[in-house]
Amino acid sequence: MPQTVLAPPTPGPRSARASPTRQRDPFFDNAKFLLVTLVVIGHNWGSLPSGLDTVKAAYCVVYLFHMPAFILLCGYFSRGFECRPDQIRTLLARVLAPYLLFTLAYKTLYAVLWDAPFALDPTEPTYLLWFLIALFLWRITSPVWRAVRHPVALSVAVSFAAGLSDVDYALALPRVLMFLPWFVLGLRLRPEHFRRLRTPLIRTTAALIVTAAVATSYALAPAHDVRWLHMQYGNDALHTAWPGYLLARTVLLVASAVLVAAFFALVPARRTRFTELGTATMFPFLAHGLLVRAGQAYGAYDLLGLLGAGAVLATTLLGAALAWLLSAAPLRRALRPFVEPRFPRRLVPVERT
């Protein structure tokens, strides 16, 4: 997840002396690192051979909530985005530039490992890079969603309509539109909404909900069509008539909302050993996909699949280790020119006084 911290209002002399720095809330850094770890683990699970019910069950539970929660936080941290020139420059440098650089990296990897033709088309997102182009479009339109009435309901209508339409995948538009409600909901949330989830009763209930979700998913695993969770396919691709499609999407939306709330209820609010790693989640997010793709090319996941149900444990540990390693300071320093490139100074306009 890109690191996007809201800029506080410019303080007056008294407030500047009283509060020279803005404290980060460890709750959000903890949540971001846990979510990016789940992204890494999920991509490892998704690379295993199909037919493993244990893998499929775990995959479905995680995919019900981890991207919605990820996107919700992006919306939450976009509340102060007003399309100011400095914000646009940050968006170009921290979202669009890494998208282009890693598009080049993925295309090069595909050409080397799979002899795929080297063809760059920035309008066709590669693998997980759809999220960056989606974030760019969501954030650039966030002032619109703050200006309209009933933005969450409107975004849900847009999401459902996109699933009933034949939307081309250019710029990842199906996912941009179908995941949109979570970003808009994040724009509407305030810190107190998250604090209300931290009571002992809600946390206990959340643990029970997650346990029930895992058990239910395992029981239904053979019938799962995971394409419903990718928010990329419309009703025609899923061979579902529009009434059934709208009903299924509504059920999935409600189930996702319950699991998203349960996740945030279970996130620790205190500082932990991984809190600091949550300040730089873009690094593991962008880099791990290259390693997963390389593992696929060399057959590593076919070997792990031979472990059967044990493949879930093996790939979970592998994914967690990758997320931790790619968040470590030495690798962050090496990857910083590609993940957090600086905006060229010569392109910054000179303010005239």
Side-chain angles (χ1 to χ4, degrees), residues 110-122:
Y110 291 173
V112 171
L113 296 183
W114 283 293
D115 294 325
F118 186 84
L120 286 175
D121 183 357

PDB file of all heavy atoms in Angstrom, residues 110-122:
ATOM      1  N   TYR A 110       9.122 -11.456 -17.746  1.00  0.00           N
ATOM      2  CA  TYR A 110       8.345 -12.370 -18.589  1.00  0.00           C
ATOM      3  C   TYR A 110       9.114 -12.736 -19.857  1.00  0.00           C
ATOM      4  O   TYR A 110       9.069 -13.876 -20.321  1.00  0.00           O
ATOM      5  CB  TYR A 110       7.007 -11.739 -18.971  1.00  0.00           C
ATOM      6  CG  TYR A 110       6.036 -11.575 -17.831  1.00  0.00           C
ATOM      7  CD1 TYR A 110       4.832 -10.892 -18.007  1.00  0.00           C
ATOM      8  CD2 TYR A 110       6.302 -12.079 -16.561  1.00  0.00           C
ATOM      9  CE1 TYR A 110       3.932 -10.736 -16.971  1.00  0.00           C
ATOM     10  CE2 TYR A 110       5.420 -11.933 -15.522  1.00  0.00           C
ATOM     11  CZ  TYR A 110       4.236 -11.252 -15.729  1.00  0.00           C
ATOM     12  OH  TYR A 110       3.347 -11.087 -14.692  1.00  0.00           O
ATOM     13  N   ALA A 111       9.807 -11.758 -20.410  1.00  0.00           N
ATOM     14  CA  ALA A 111      10.570 -12.018 -21.632  1.00  0.00           C
ATOM     15  C   ALA A 111      11.731 -12.974 -21.364  1.00  0.00           C
ATOM     16  O   ALA A 111      12.039 -13.846 -22.187  1.00  0.00           O
ATOM     17  CB  ALA A 111      11.095 -10.703 -22.210  1.00  0.00           C
ATOM     18  N   VAL A 112      12.354 -12.846 -20.191  1.00  0.00           N
ATOM     19  CA  VAL A 112      13.512 -13.686 -19.857  1.00  0.00           C
ATOM     20  C   VAL A 112      13.070 -15.101 -19.467  1.00  0.00           C
ATOM     21  O   VAL A 112      13.650 -16.092 -19.924  1.00  0.00           O
ATOM     22  CB  VAL A 112      14.326 -13.038 -18.724  1.00  0.00           C
ATOM     23  CG1 VAL A 112      15.401 -13.996 -18.217  1.00  0.00           C
ATOM     24  CG2 VAL A 112      14.963 -11.736 -19.200  1.00  0.00           C
ATOM     25  N   LEU A 113      12.049 -15.203 -18.619  1.00  0.00           N
ATOM     26  CA  LEU A 113      11.672 -16.506 -18.076  1.00  0.00           C
ATOM     27  C   LEU A 113      10.703 -17.289 -18.960  1.00  0.00           C
ATOM     28  O   LEU A 113      10.713 -18.518 -18.949  1.00  0.00           O
ATOM     29  CB  LEU A 113      11.047 -16.324 -16.689  1.00  0.00           C
ATOM     30  CG  LEU A 113      11.965 -15.752 -15.602  1.00  0.00           C
ATOM     31  CD1 LEU A 113      11.243 -15.702 -14.268  1.00  0.00           C
ATOM     32  CD2 LEU A 113      13.250 -16.567 -15.481  1.00  0.00           C
ATOM     33  N   TRP A 114       9.858 -16.589 -19.697  1.00  0.00           N
ATOM     34  CA  TRP A 114       8.843 -17.285 -20.496  1.00  0.00           C
ATOM     35  C   TRP A 114       8.965 -17.019 -21.989  1.00  0.00           C
ATOM     36  O   TRP A 114       8.097 -17.427 -22.766  1.00  0.00           O
ATOM     37  CB  TRP A 114       7.440 -16.874 -20.032  1.00  0.00           C
ATOM     38  CG  TRP A 114       7.012 -17.539 -18.758  1.00  0.00           C
ATOM     39  CD1 TRP A 114       6.760 -18.869 -18.569  1.00  0.00           C
ATOM     40  CD2 TRP A 114       6.789 -16.922 -17.495  1.00  0.00           C
ATOM     41  NE1 TRP A 114       6.399 -19.111 -17.264  1.00  0.00           N
ATOM     42  CE2 TRP A 114       6.395 -17.927 -16.571  1.00  0.00           C
ATOM     43  CE3 TRP A 114       6.864 -15.607 -17.038  1.00  0.00           C
ATOM     44  CZ2 TRP A 114       6.099 -17.666 -15.247  1.00  0.00           C
ATOM     45  CZ3 TRP A 114       6.564 -15.345 -15.716  1.00  0.00           C
ATOM     46  CH2 TRP A 114       6.191 -16.365 -14.835  1.00  0.00           C
ATOM     47  N   ASP A 115      10.024 -16.303 -22.379  1.00  0.00           N
ATOM     48  CA  ASP A 115      10.203 -15.952 -23.796  1.00  0.00           C
ATOM     49  C   ASP A 115       8.990 -15.219 -24.347  1.00  0.00           C
ATOM     50  O   ASP A 115       8.636 -15.359 -25.532  1.00  0.00           O
ATOM     51  CB  ASP A 115      10.477 -17.214 -24.641  1.00  0.00           C
ATOM     52  CG  ASP A 115      11.810 -17.860 -24.298  1.00  0.00           C
ATOM     53  OD1 ASP A 115      12.754 -17.113 -23.985  1.00  0.00           O
ATOM     54  OD2 ASP A 115      11.891 -19.096 -24.325  1.00  0.00           O
ATOM     55  N   ALA A 116       8.321 -14.462 -23.500  1.00  0.00           N
ATOM     56  CA  ALA A 116       7.170 -13.683 -23.949  1.00  0.00           C
ATOM     57  C   ALA A 116       7.661 -12.486 -24.749  1.00  0.00           C
ATOM     58  O   ALA A 116       8.745 -11.946 -24.485  1.00  0.00           O
ATOM     59  CB  ALA A 116       6.363 -13.215 -22.749  1.00  0.00           C
ATOM     60  N   PRO A 117       6.908 -12.041 -25.741  1.00  0.00           N
ATOM     61  CA  PRO A 117       7.317 -10.861 -26.517  1.00  0.00           C
ATOM     62  C   PRO A 117       7.374  -9.632 -25.608  1.00  0.00           C
ATOM     63  O   PRO A 117       6.488  -9.429 -24.768  1.00  0.00           O
ATOM     64  CB  PRO A 117       6.223 -10.727 -27.572  1.00  0.00           C
ATOM     65  CG  PRO A 117       5.055 -11.502 -27.047  1.00  0.00           C
ATOM     66  CD  PRO A 117       5.629 -12.610 -26.230  1.00  0.00           C
ATOM     67  N   PHE A 118       8.419  -8.862 -25.775  1.00  0.00           N
ATOM     68  CA  PHE A 118       8.593  -7.671 -24.943  1.00  0.00           C
ATOM     69  C   PHE A 118       7.796  -6.523 -25.569  1.00  0.00           C
ATOM     70  O   PHE A 118       8.238  -5.893 -26.516  1.00  0.00           O
ATOM     71  CB  PHE A 118      10.068  -7.297 -24.830  1.00  0.00           C
ATOM     72  CG  PHE A 118      10.338  -6.172 -23.876  1.00  0.00           C
ATOM     73  CD1 PHE A 118      10.465  -6.408 -22.525  1.00  0.00           C
ATOM     74  CD2 PHE A 118      10.442  -4.868 -24.334  1.00  0.00           C
ATOM     75  CE1 PHE A 118      10.712  -5.371 -21.633  1.00  0.00           C
ATOM     76  CE2 PHE A 118      10.679  -3.825 -23.458  1.00  0.00           C
ATOM     77  CZ  PHE A 118      10.812  -4.078 -22.103  1.00  0.00           C
ATOM     78  N   ALA A 119       6.611  -6.301 -25.043  1.00  0.00           N
ATOM     79  CA  ALA A 119       5.731  -5.255 -25.571  1.00  0.00           C
ATOM     80  C   ALA A 119       5.192  -4.441 -24.409  1.00  0.00           C
ATOM     81  O   ALA A 119       4.481  -4.970 -23.559  1.00  0.00           O
ATOM     82  CB  ALA A 119       4.582  -5.872 -26.370  1.00  0.00           C
ATOM     83  N   LEU A 120       5.551  -3.173 -24.372  1.00  0.00           N
ATOM     84  CA  LEU A 120       5.105  -2.296 -23.295  1.00  0.00           C
ATOM     85  C   LEU A 120       3.802  -1.607 -23.687  1.00  0.00           C
ATOM     86  O   LEU A 120       3.719  -0.955 -24.724  1.00  0.00           O
ATOM     87  CB  LEU A 120       6.171  -1.243 -22.990  1.00  0.00           C
ATOM     88  CG  LEU A 120       7.419  -1.707 -22.239  1.00  0.00           C
ATOM     89  CD1 LEU A 120       8.416  -0.575 -22.115  1.00  0.00           C
ATOM     90  CD2 LEU A 120       7.045  -2.224 -20.859  1.00  0.00           C
ATOM     91  N   ASP A 121       2.792  -1.769 -22.861  1.00  0.00           N
ATOM     92  CA  ASP A 121       1.522  -1.078 -23.045  1.00  0.00           C
ATOM     93  C   ASP A 121       1.055  -0.628 -21.670  1.00  0.00           C
ATOM     94  O   ASP A 121       0.433  -1.404 -20.932  1.00  0.00           O
ATOM     95  CB  ASP A 121       0.493  -1.997 -23.694  1.00  0.00           C
ATOM     96  CG  ASP A 121      -0.821  -1.269 -23.975  1.00  0.00           C
ATOM     97  OD1 ASP A 121      -0.924  -0.083 -23.612  1.00  0.00           O
ATOM     98  OD2 ASP A 121      -1.741  -1.880 -24.554  1.00  0.00           O
ATOM     99  N   PRO A 122       1.354   0.610 -21.281  1.00  0.00           N
ATOM    100  CA  PRO A 122       1.009   1.070 -19.926  1.00  0.00           C
ATOM    101  C   PRO A 122      -0.477   1.021 -19.614  1.00  0.00           C
ATOM    102  O   PRO A 122      -0.855   1.075 -18.440  1.00  0.00           O
ATOM    103  CB  PRO A 122       1.520   2.521 -19.914  1.00  0.00           C
ATOM    104  CG  PRO A 122       2.564   2.575 -20.980  1.00  0.00           C
ATOM    105  CD  PRO A 122       2.088   1.629 -22.038  1.00  0.00           C
TER     106      PRO A 122
END
